[in-house]
Amino acid sequence: MREDALHFRNRSIHYRNTREGTVLERSTERLDIDLLVLPETNLILIASVIEPLRGANRISGSELYRWRIFTPDGEAVPTTSHIAIPAQGTFQTTASDTPLFVLASYNWRQSATATLKMQLSQAARHRTMIAGIESGTWLLAEACLLDGLSATVHWEDYEDFVLAYPQVSAVKDRFVIDGKRLTTSGSLPTVDLMLEIIRRRQSYSLALEVSRLFRYEQPSFHADEALSAGLRVDDPRVAHAVRLMEDNVEQPIVLARLARRVGISARHLQDLFQASIGAPPHIHYLALRLNAARRKVIETTASFADIAAATGFNSASAFARSYRASYSESPSETRRRLRRPLRPSEARP
């Protein structure tokens, strides 16, 4: 694996102040995505696109995302692991406005035929968004779809990319969003991009909960870092604050006191959170509490008033408002849809 651990933070993201269309706007509508997978793509790269979307569907209990896989010839595409990925069909130019993700890892030039470049150029006339995933960035550049825009590419290819496409503003970021174009610099940065899409379309809380699916924690190493809810936090002060938040879900600590316990000012802590994980402390704290509350809604029979009290809300009504704002449904609706059947030993008398 060529990338470091999962990040979910603003300093790894590059934006341009342009309109991205409806794909990255708050919505409860299902988002369909077409994936064009080229030969010799890494399995982990394909999974980096699909698995966060699958996780969002599973956690939400509804089909927020649906994807289809296409290949240049419609046949199963060989991956670097010698595992062929089946395709729904042949990639063709249509008037579809479905977002298109172009996935490539190695030997992308073999796929960069005149026909494919023409198809990508034609697709750009209709697609609401086109993403270059890892070496897919090169395909978009070859099709002149990144001219005058910012884009990122895998760090090993950065210098070559800069020389090959001076008309593209290459940046060393994990992923880049510039208007209707998205680009990523590798597999784990692609997970970051998918989390960002989920955050924008649904909520920070859902994105945080999805990120937990990719959590890897080994406490014996790197004591100055924290892996919390799927986030890698390099700054020890932010890591300390996050641990305090997790240890005080029932009775949340106010920002000023939290900062004092970390040993810095409240303003400095806010700045560090924004730089480290891309959200202010109160947003992250609320997401942690809502994630904990949602697990109780699904996995227990506790009353919503008890759940509210256990996760630091002043009342059941305040809890319900925050819950609906984050998950687009009430706690009772979630419980009806998702609560697992109780085992006999768990049933109340």
Side-chain angles (χ1 to χ4, degrees):
M1 189 179 301
R2 297 183 294 188
E3 296 81 21
D4 57 356
L6 176 64
H7 290 59
F8 183 34
R9 53 191 180 184
N10 265 2
R11 73 184 184 189
S12 302
I13 308 169
H14 180 92
Y15 297 104
R16 280 275 293 271
N17 188 22
T18 54
R19 180 163 178 81
E20 299 101 352
T22 60
V23 173
L24 297 177
E25 293 179 353
R26 187 69 178 262
S27 176
T28 58
E29 298 295 320
R30 188 188 75 206
L31 177 64
D32 293 342
I33 297 176
D34 288 344
L35 279 58
L36 170 58
V37 181
L38 301 179
E40 295 191 59
T41 295
N42 290 330
L43 276 176
I44 193 172
L45 190 67
I46 301 170
S48 294
V49 175
I50 293 175
E51 284 302 300
L53 303 180
R54 179 200 62 79
N57 288 349
R58 176 178 175 273
I59 290 170
S60 68
S62 58
E63 193 177 35
L64 299 174
Y65 298 94
R66 180 185 292 177
W67 52 89
R68 300 183 301 175
I69 295 177
F70 296 94
T71 59
D73 58 7
E75 299 296 322
V77 63
T79 65
T80 54
S81 302
H82 305 294
I83 298 174
I85 300 298
Q88 265 86 21
T90 303
F91 176 64
Q92 298 177 340
T93 301
T94 66
S96 172
D97 63 354
T98 303
L100 174 67
F101 282 47
V102 182
L103 284 69
S105 297
Y106 297 99
N107 295 323
W108 63 269
R109 292 186 185 279
Q110 295 182 6
S111 300
T113 63
T115 298
L116 181 62
K117 288 189 285 187
M118 180 184 66
Q119 288 177 322
L120 291 175
S121 180
Q122 293 174 344
R125 301 175 187 174
H126 306 287
R127 303 277 181 167
T128 54
M129 188 165 284
I130 298 183
I133 305 301
E134 197 175 77
S135 294
T137 300
W138 291 82
L139 271 297
L140 300 193
E142 279 288 303
C144 301
L145 299 183
L146 298 176
D147 290 3
L149 301 176
S150 295
T152 191
V153 70
H154 194 278
W155 64 269
E156 291 178 341
D157 303 327
Y158 179 79
E159 298 299 334
D160 290 339
F161 187 86
V162 169
L163 292 175
Y165 307 104
Q167 71 275 24
V168 180
S169 178
V171 292
K172 293 182 178 180
D173 284 320
R174 295 176 69 79
F175 67 83
V176 170
I177 299 174
D178 193 344
K180 295 183 177 182
R181 301 290 179 266
L182 313 178
T183 51
T184 71
S185 60
S187 299
L188 295 182
T190 298
V191 174
D192 296 343
L193 171 63
M194 306 316 292
L195 290 173
E196 178 68 4
I197 291 173
I198 294 167
R199 182 188 71 82
R200 291 202 192 188
R201 289 186 63 81
Q202 278 78 48
S203 67
Y204 182 90
S205 296
L206 180 59
L208 181 62
E209 197 163 357
V210 171
S211 77
R212 296 174 67 94
L213 300 176
F214 306 96
R215 179 173 179 168
Y216 171 77
E217 187 167 6
Q218 195 165 8
S220 60
F221 296 138
H222 307 299
D224 60 336
E225 295 182 359
L227 275 153
S228 169
L231 310 178
R232 174 172 171 171
V233 181
D234 295 319
D235 192 295
R237 295 160 295 186
V238 176
H240 186 192
V242 168
R243 292 191 190 99
L244 288 171
M245 290 177 179
E246 292 179 334
D247 291 342
N248 294 273
V249 169
E250 184 173 353
Q251 294 182 327
I253 306 172
V254 297
L255 178 62
R257 184 180 170 207
L258 187 67
R260 283 198 302 271
R261 294 184 63 175
V262 173
I264 57 178
S265 69
R267 178 62 180 272
H268 193 191
L269 184 60
Q270 286 182 314
D271 292 342
L272 288 176
F273 258 79
Q274 196 66 49
S276 183
I277 65 174
H282 73 280
I283 294 295
H284 184 72
Y285 209 165
L286 177 61
L288 285 175
R289 292 160 53 210
L290 285 170
N291 285 179
R294 191 171 185 278
R295 290 192 294 274
K296 293 179 184 296
V297 167
I298 296 170
E299 298 174 3
T300 77
T301 58
S303 70
F304 298 141
D306 287 345
I307 293 174
T311 51
F313 291 93
N314 293 329
S315 65
S317 59
F319 162 59
R321 286 194 299 272
S322 292
Y323 191 98
R324 181 178 287 278
S326 181
Y327 296 113
S328 299
E329 66 179 2
S330 68
S332 59
E333 289 169 335
T334 297
R335 177 165 282 180
R336 282 196 299 270
R337 290 191 306 105
L338 300 180
R339 194 180 72 190
R340 63 180 174 82
L342 293 179
R343 296 191 295 270
S345 60
E346 297 174 315
R348 290 184 175 179

